[in-house]
């Protein structure tokens, strides 16, 4: 071991540039790799704190029902023998009022069996008594925030703006590793508080049923009996669409369902995983590339050892020892880089994540050990086998083929392929985000402010709107349930069109008579709704075309008289096609309307904002309001894509850095290998720029080949990514050209700088070098 260490130090001194580059590349790539692995392991901990989570599943029941679905759990447990324990829960965002506090909270509504399956513990007080309707539990953190150290037990709070409830217990906070977050827990009873929305055929319900399997039972048994057991409770509205489905509870966090649970950004995790692996592989390629190149300088060392009787196994052992020593140094440096770059990583992930603390996790320690062994073996064994394959006679007569430069050029080209692909991906994603933010959404979003009301302000929304209309800097005001880009209600069912019956989806916005005027949505046919109307509506042109109507004479859509057709506007992000939309007006005391939209005229905006807030505060002094201009709302729609762009931008920089480090090493080696040739050229009258061009040409062909390979790869990858958008930008030729110019430009500057150093050396020293 001591001999190997001395050999490593000796070789490092002789080839300090190459060794520094390989170790630096390893350190950077390991830091990125370990951070991402630590993040993924941390994400995998979500919901693992729940007892028996491996045998727990979630059964989701959605749809219209004619009876109360509270018996769903009993029916499932009594008719499906595979179910051991079961409970029902749902979560909503509702208003919480206590004295001067009025804010929206996460309310979890559960039945009594919930506490048998989930780790909820009463820290003070107790869990409510069986059959209670008016008692609630509050988490420790939220109790401290609201009651400021006072004992909350026995205090009366208002839930949902009108329901008086008594606090009977303070419970533990849901851990950060729980996908189900809440501040208050409320009992689920026959009043179906916050579980039911009225419908024509009963109620529209959304209930989650969690259950544990009996020992040695299979979940497929539950799936096979589910629809039969619950069929009379749900009415499927679309053909081939299951209203009931079963999902492993441990998979909820990593699913893309729109429900009560927190969910991981699966796309970002996949992206980070791919890039981390690629970066680690690039560092490995760098090491192998530079090590095999430097082997040609170690002829005498290997030759002397073999001549003195060293076996191939000893040569291999020496190279492996050097590789592991380099990995140990890189590993130590990588931990320092993780600590240093943690704020950058946390910004990319958009969450506070302590990677250093995560390194103490046993799974993480195991991953570090496996990665260390794998990298050490791979990076050591390849150069070792090449060096051991030379015979002493070949080494003494310098008959070793130097054509390995071609293989090393291929390695460099692979690095440039990855770099150019990442740059193209980054440019396309940025282009799509810019396209999404600047696209015409079918309404005028300039100076358009939307305000989501809560509590007393929500109950007096019409009065607030009337008061705001009086202000000179406000052009128009409208109230609605939902707004463009945030449709809160939709229906589905069968619709007869001509002589055919089709599956029909309809998004619904409830509006007043000022809606299309405020949003500047063009009216294409018919008239606008009027204040004196009752249950009339406007449909968009997509809906008009799908229904194949020729006119609006006596046309009704699911009970609503349609009086006009408006131009299409986007009701959701550009990921989705424009669907069927109805703007429905009831003239029925504005029940359920939750948004006020204000069209400003652009004058004195700060003063106007202050006036709006003061007006609303007059109606509800303690309300917390959600104020957003539509430009902000559009930006939020593409937050996920912007995080992806941030991640790619950061890792593209890392990839370019690693590629350039490898390139510097290769130019360093090539210039040394061509020292005699450079000296002869200069003595023969060659100018410095001619020598530089000669060296650049050596690497230029590889860079050009990399660009030719990278273009179709990036085009395919970005085409697949853009399939997530119904409306998307074109992948223009200039994106590929710019990516090539950036990557090759950086490479040529690097090669040119190294080549200039070699070309400006004294030719006498160059000729004397060998």
């Amino acid at each position: 071991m001591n001999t190997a260490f001395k050999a490593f130090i000796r070789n490092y001194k002789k080839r300090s540039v190459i060794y520094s580059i390989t170790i630096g590349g390893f350190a950077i790539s390991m830091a990125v790799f370990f951070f991402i692995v630590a993040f993924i392991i941390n994400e995998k901990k979500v919901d693992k704190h729940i007892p028996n989570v491996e045998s727990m599943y979630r059964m989701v029941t959605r749809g219209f029902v004619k009876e109360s679905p509270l018996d769903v759990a009993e029916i499932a447990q009594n008719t499906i023998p595979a179910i051991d324990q079961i409970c029902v829960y749902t979560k909503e965002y509702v208003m919480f009022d206590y004295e001067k506090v009025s804010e929206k909270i996460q309310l979890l509504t559960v039945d009594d069996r919930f506490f048998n399956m989930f780790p909820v513990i009463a820290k003070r007080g107790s869990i409510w008594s069986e059959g209670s309707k008016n008692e609630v539990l509050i988490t420790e953190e939220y109790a401290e925030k609201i009651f400021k150290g006072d004992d909350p037990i026995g205090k009366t709070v208002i839930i949902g703006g009108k329901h008086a409830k008594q606090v009977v217990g303070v419970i533990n906070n849901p851990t950060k590793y729980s996908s189900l977050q809440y501040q208050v827990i409320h009992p689920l009873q026959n009043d179906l508080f916050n579980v039911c929305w009225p419908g024509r055929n009963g109620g529209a319900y959304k209930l989650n049923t969690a259950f544990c399997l009996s020992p040695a039972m299979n979940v497929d048994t539950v799936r096979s009996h589910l629809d039969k057991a619950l069929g009379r409770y749900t009415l499927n509205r679309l053909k081939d669409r299951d209203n009931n489905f079963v999902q492993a509870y441990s998979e909820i966090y990593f699913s893309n369902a729109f429900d009560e649970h927190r969910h991981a950004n699966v796309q970002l995790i996949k992206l980070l995983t791919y890039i981390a692996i690629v970066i680690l592989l690039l560092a490995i390629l760098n090491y192998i590339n530079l090590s095999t190149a430097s082997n040609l300088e170690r002829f005498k060392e290997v030759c002397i050892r073999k001549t003195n009787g060293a076996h191939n196994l000893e040569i291999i052992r020496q190279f492996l020892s050097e590789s592991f020593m380099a990995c140990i140094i890189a590993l130590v440096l990588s931990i320092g880089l993780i600590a240093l770059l943690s704020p950058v990583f946390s910004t990319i992930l958009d969450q506070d994540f302590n990677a250093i603390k995560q390194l103490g996790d046993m799974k993480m320690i195991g991953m570090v050990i496996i990665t260390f062994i794998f990298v050490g073996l791979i990076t050591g064994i390849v150069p070792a086998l090449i060096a051991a394959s030379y015979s002493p006679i070949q080494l003494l007569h310098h008959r070793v083929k130097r054509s390995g430069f071609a293989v090393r050029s291929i390695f460099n080209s692979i690095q440039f392929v990855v770099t150019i692909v990442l740059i193209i991906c980054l440019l396309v994603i940025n282009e799509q985000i810019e396209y999404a933010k600047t696209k015409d959404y079918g309404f005028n979003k300039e100076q358009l402010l939307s305000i989501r009301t809560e509590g007393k302000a929500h109950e007096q929304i019409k009065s607030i709107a009337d008061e705001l209309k009086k202000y000179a800097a406000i052009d128009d005001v409208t109230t609605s349930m939902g707004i463009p880009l945030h449709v809160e209600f939709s229906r589905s069912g069968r619709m007869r069109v001509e002589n055919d019956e089709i599956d029909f989806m309809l998004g619904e916005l409830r509006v007043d008579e000022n809606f299309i005027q405020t949003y500047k949505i063009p009216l294409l046919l018919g008239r606008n709704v009027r204040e004196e109307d009752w249950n009339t509506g406007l449909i968009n042109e997509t809906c008009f075309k799908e229904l194949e109507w020729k006119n609006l004479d006596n046309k009704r859509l699911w009970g609503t008289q349609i009086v006009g057709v408006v131009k299409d506007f986007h009701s959701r992000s550009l990921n989705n096609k424009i669907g069927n939309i109805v703007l429905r007006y009831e003239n029925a005391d504005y029940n359920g309307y939750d948004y006020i939209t204000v069209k400003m005229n652009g004058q004195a905006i700060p003063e106007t904002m202050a006036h709006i807030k003061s007006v609303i505060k007059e109606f509800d002094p303690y309300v917390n309001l959600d104020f957003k201009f539509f430009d902000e709302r559009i930006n939020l729609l593409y937050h996920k894509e912007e995080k992806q762009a941030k991640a790619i931008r950061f890792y593209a920089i890392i990839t370019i850095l690693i590629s350039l480090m490898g390139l510097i090493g290769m130019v360093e080696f090539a210039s040394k290998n061509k020292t005699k040739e450079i000296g002869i050229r200069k003595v023969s009258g060659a100018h410095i720029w001619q020598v530089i061009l000669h060296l650049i040409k050596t690497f230029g062909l590889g860079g050009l080949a990399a660009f030719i390979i990278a273009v179709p790869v990036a085009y395919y990858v970005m085409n697949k990514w853009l399939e997530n958008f119904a409306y998307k930008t074109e992948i223009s030729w200039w994106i590929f050209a710019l990516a090539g110019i950036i990557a090759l430009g950086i490479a040529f500057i690097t090669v040119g700088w190294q080549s200039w150093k070699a070309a400006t050396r004294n030719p006498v020293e160059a000729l004397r070098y060998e």
Side-chain angles (χ1 to χ4, degrees):
M1 185 68 184
N2 187 47
T3 304
F5 179 75
K6 288 179 179 178
F8 176 81
I9 297 298
R10 183 174 62 250
N11 288 320
Y12 180 83
K13 288 179 179 179
K14 290 171 65 177
R15 287 173 286 275
S16 58
V17 173
I18 289 177
Y19 270 69
S20 297
I21 287 171
T22 53
I23 292 173
F26 267 145
I28 294 171
S29 60
M30 280 184 175
V32 172
F33 183 79
F34 289 145
F35 186 91
I36 293 174
V37 170
F39 172 67
I40 293 172
I41 289 175
N42 190 64
E43 290 285 275
K44 288 286 187 180
K45 291 180 179 179
V46 173
D47 289 333
K48 293 300 189 293
H49 65 290
I50 300 174
N52 303 317
V53 71
E54 298 305 324
S55 63
M56 187 183 293
Y57 293 82
R58 175 181 61 164
M59 178 171 64
V60 178
T61 303
R62 302 179 191 278
F64 284 91
V65 298
K66 290 186 176 180
E67 307 176 49
S68 165
L70 288 179
D71 294 330
V72 164
E74 285 79 0
I75 291 175
Q77 189 168 28
N78 293 335
T79 59
I80 305 176
I83 293 178
D84 183 21
Q85 296 185 74
I86 197 164
C87 70
V88 178
Y89 68 92
T90 188
K91 191 181 86 170
E92 295 297 329
Y93 290 86
V94 301
M95 289 301 297
F96 179 95
D97 293 280
Y98 175 74
E99 294 184 349
K100 295 183 178 181
V101 175
S102 181
E103 62 184 28
K104 187 162 283 189
I105 61 164
Q106 298 178 81
L107 176 75
L108 188 65
T109 306
V110 306
D111 68 356
D112 294 341
R113 294 165 295 190
F114 179 86
F115 305 105
N116 298 328
M117 296 176 60
F118 289 85
V120 177
I121 302 170
K123 298 289 188 177
R124 278 182 284 169
S126 62
I127 305 298
W128 58 65
S129 56
E130 186 175 350
S132 173
K133 295 176 57 175
N134 299 313
E135 297 175 345
V136 294
L137 308 173
I138 186 169
T139 63
E140 285 183 292
E141 185 177 1
Y142 197 65
E144 181 62 31
K145 175 184 175 181
I146 299 302
F147 298 99
K148 314 243 183 247
D150 291 342
D151 186 5
I153 306 301
K155 297 288 174 54
T156 299
V157 298
I158 306 299
I159 303 290
K162 55 185 176 181
H163 301 276
K165 306 289 179 179
Q166 186 180 45
V167 178
V168 295
V170 177
I171 56 175
N172 56 308
N173 301 317
T175 171
K176 68 176 183 178
Y177 293 114
S178 174
S179 63
L180 192 62
Q181 296 290 316
Y182 48 84
Q183 283 92 38
V184 177
I185 298 183
H186 175 272
L188 176 63
Q189 293 297 330
N190 290 327
D191 60 359
L192 289 178
F193 178 61
N194 286 309
V195 179
C196 173
W197 295 266
R200 290 183 298 110
N201 294 322
Y205 292 90
K206 183 176 65 172
L207 289 175
N208 293 276
T209 305
F211 66 89
C212 286
L213 287 177
S214 300
M217 296 301 290
N218 193 301
V219 70
D220 291 334
T221 306
V222 176
R223 290 191 175 101
S224 62
H225 288 84
L226 186 59
D227 285 334
K228 183 178 179 181
L230 304 179
R232 72 189 182 92
Y233 281 89
T234 59
L235 301 172
N236 286 337
R237 289 306 200 182
L238 296 179
K239 288 183 177 179
D240 304 321
R241 181 179 177 182
D242 292 333
N243 273 21
N244 307 306
F245 67 88
V246 173
Q247 180 183 37
Y249 202 91
S250 58
E251 295 176 1
I252 291 175
Y253 182 64
F254 292 96
S255 68
N256 58 1
F258 183 75
D259 57 20
E260 299 85 349
H261 293 258
R262 288 191 307 121
H263 294 284
N265 189 337
V266 177
Q267 276 193 331
L268 182 62
I269 290 175
K270 287 181 178 178
L271 177 66
L272 294 178
T273 303
Y274 297 148
I275 292 178
I277 293 172
V278 167
I279 286 176
L280 189 62
L281 291 177
L282 287 181
I284 291 172
L285 281 178
N286 257 356
Y287 188 95
I288 295 172
N289 206 12
L290 297 174
S291 295
T292 53
S294 64
N295 281 350
L296 300 178
E297 297 181 359
R298 301 179 67 178
F299 288 150
K300 290 182 181 179
E301 177 191 341
V302 177
C303 177
I304 291 170
R305 295 197 64 187
K306 284 202 167 190
T307 304
N308 289 333
H311 297 290
N312 284 342
L313 188 60
E314 294 178 31
I315 304 297
I316 292 173
R317 190 184 300 123
Q318 178 188 344
F319 276 83
L320 282 174
S321 298
E322 291 182 16
S323 173
F324 276 109
M325 285 179 188
C327 285
I328 289 173
I329 297 172
L331 182 60
V332 173
L333 291 174
S334 70
I335 294 173
L337 284 173
I338 289 174
L340 186 65
L341 296 176
S342 275
V344 179
F345 288 124
S346 297
T347 301
I348 291 171
L349 298 173
D350 198 22
Q351 61 178 272
D352 186 17
F353 172 62
N354 190 334
I356 292 295
K357 184 179 179 181
Q358 187 64 33
L359 289 176
D361 183 89
M362 291 306 298
K363 289 183 179 178
M364 190 64 211
I365 292 173
M367 180 57 70
V368 169
I369 293 172
I370 291 170
T371 304
F372 173 75
I373 294 172
F374 171 76
V375 172
L377 284 174
I378 291 296
T379 54
I381 200 71
V382 175
L385 290 175
I386 294 173
S389 66
Y390 301 147
S391 70
I393 296 175
Q394 285 178 311
L395 294 170
L396 285 170
H397 290 86
H398 282 224
R399 290 176 183 170
V400 179
K401 290 178 67 177
R402 296 184 179 235
S403 59
F405 186 78
V407 176
R408 291 187 287 276
S409 296
I410 291 174
F411 284 171
N412 276 324
S413 296
I414 292 173
Q415 291 178 328
F416 274 109
V417 167
V418 174
T419 301
I420 295 170
V421 167
L422 283 176
I423 293 174
I424 292 172
C425 291
L426 178 61
L427 292 174
V428 172
I429 291 175
N430 284 334
E431 188 73 7
Q432 175 62 23
I433 293 172
E434 186 62 24
Y435 171 81
K437 290 180 177 180
T438 57
K439 189 182 185 302
D440 180 8
Y441 278 77
F443 57 90
N444 188 342
K445 63 180 187 293
E446 300 303 320
Q447 310 298 336
L448 200 61
L449 178 71
S450 61
I451 309 157
R452 182 158 192 166
T453 59
E454 300 171 346
K456 295 177 182 177
H458 171 70
E459 296 169 3
Q460 302 177 79
I461 191 169
K462 184 67 169 64
S463 300
I464 295 173
D466 290 340
E467 185 65 29
L468 291 175
K469 290 176 186 176
K470 301 174 183 177
Y471 196 66
I474 295 176
D475 286 344
D476 288 300
V477 179
T478 185
T479 58
S480 59
M481 186 187 79
I483 53 175
L485 307 181
H486 189 73
V487 177
E488 297 180 349
F489 186 74
S490 62
R491 305 183 188 188
S492 61
R494 305 289 291 171
M495 175 68 70
R496 179 163 292 279
V497 176
E498 295 295 333
N499 297 319
D500 194 16
E501 195 175 62
I502 63 171
D503 293 333
F504 192 75
M505 295 284 294
L506 181 67
E508 179 178 311
L509 291 171
R510 293 187 184 177
V511 303
D512 64 18
E513 69 278 9
N514 298 318
F515 186 85
I516 64 171
Q517 176 183 327
T518 303
Y519 280 91
K520 300 295 186 287
I521 299 174
L523 182 67
L524 303 179
L525 182 66
R527 64 170 177 86
N528 188 17
V529 296
R530 297 168 181 158
E531 189 175 0
E532 63 271 16
D533 286 347
W534 187 88
N535 198 16
T536 58
L538 311 169
I539 57 174
N540 64 342
E541 53 186 318
T542 293
C543 183
F544 185 71
K545 291 174 183 176
E546 184 163 351
L547 292 172
E548 298 182 13
W549 289 350
K550 307 301 181 185
N551 54 59
L552 298 177
D553 296 342
N554 299 316
K555 291 295 191 295
R556 304 187 78 84
L557 183 57
W558 284 340
T560 299
Q561 182 184 353
I562 304 303
V563 297
V565 178
V566 297
K567 188 177 180 180
D568 279 340
F569 61 91
H570 287 272
S571 60
R572 292 185 290 174
S573 72
L574 298 189
N575 300 71
N576 309 281
K577 287 186 175 180
I578 293 176
N580 303 317
I581 293 291
V582 60
L583 308 178
R584 188 160 163 255
Y585 175 70
E586 285 187 328
N587 190 20
D589 74 9
Y590 295 87
N591 182 36
Y593 283 37
D594 52 1
Y595 278 97
I596 299 174
T597 304
V598 176
K599 181 71 173 180
M600 302 182 191
N601 58 24
Q603 299 176 6
I605 291 179
E607 290 81 359
T608 306
M609 292 282 289
H611 174 74
I612 293 171
K613 291 178 181 179
S614 66
V615 168
I616 297 176
K617 290 286 186 181
E618 287 177 11
F619 289 87
D620 188 350
Y622 308 117
V623 70
N624 291 317
L625 294 169
D626 176 16
F627 282 82
K628 283 188 181 68
F629 283 97
F630 260 87
D631 288 335
E632 296 177 76
R633 293 196 180 275
I634 290 172
N635 290 344
L636 288 173
L637 287 176
Y638 307 102
H639 183 61
K640 182 174 70 174
E641 285 75 17
E642 289 189 321
K643 284 172 68 175
Q644 291 175 355
K646 276 184 182 178
I648 291 179
R649 187 181 303 119
F650 177 75
Y651 293 119
I653 292 170
I654 297 293
T655 304
I656 292 170
L657 182 60
I658 292 174
S659 298
L660 290 182
M661 290 171 75
L663 189 60
I664 290 170
M666 285 302 298
V667 175
E668 176 82 7
F669 167 76
S671 61
K672 284 184 179 180
N673 202 36
K674 292 176 177 284
T675 299
K676 191 172 184 179
E677 177 188 338
I678 292 170
I680 293 171
R681 284 177 178 271
K682 292 187 71 175
V683 169
S684 299
H687 294 287
I688 292 177
W689 65 268
Q690 290 175 313
V691 176
I692 293 173
L693 283 178
H694 173 70
L695 289 172
I696 289 177
K697 186 171 68 175
T698 307
F699 295 92
L701 292 176
L704 183 61
F707 177 74
I708 293 171
I709 295 170
V711 167
V713 172
Y715 184 81
Y716 173 79
V717 171
M718 282 293 93
N719 254 336
K720 295 295 289 183
W721 183 78
L722 285 171
E723 286 178 3
N724 294 317
F725 295 88
Y727 305 90
K728 53 200 172 190
T729 185
E730 295 293 329
I731 304 180
S732 305
W733 65 268
W734 66 264
I735 291 176
F736 301 102
L738 180 59
I741 291 170
I742 292 172
L744 296 177
I746 294 172
F748 283 147
I749 290 172
T750 305
V751 173
W753 172 64
Q754 287 289 95
S755 300
W756 181 83
K757 286 172 61 180
T760 53
R761 292 179 62 185
N762 191 323
V764 175
E765 292 180 9
L767 289 173
R768 193 171 59 185
Y769 182 78
E770 294 191 358

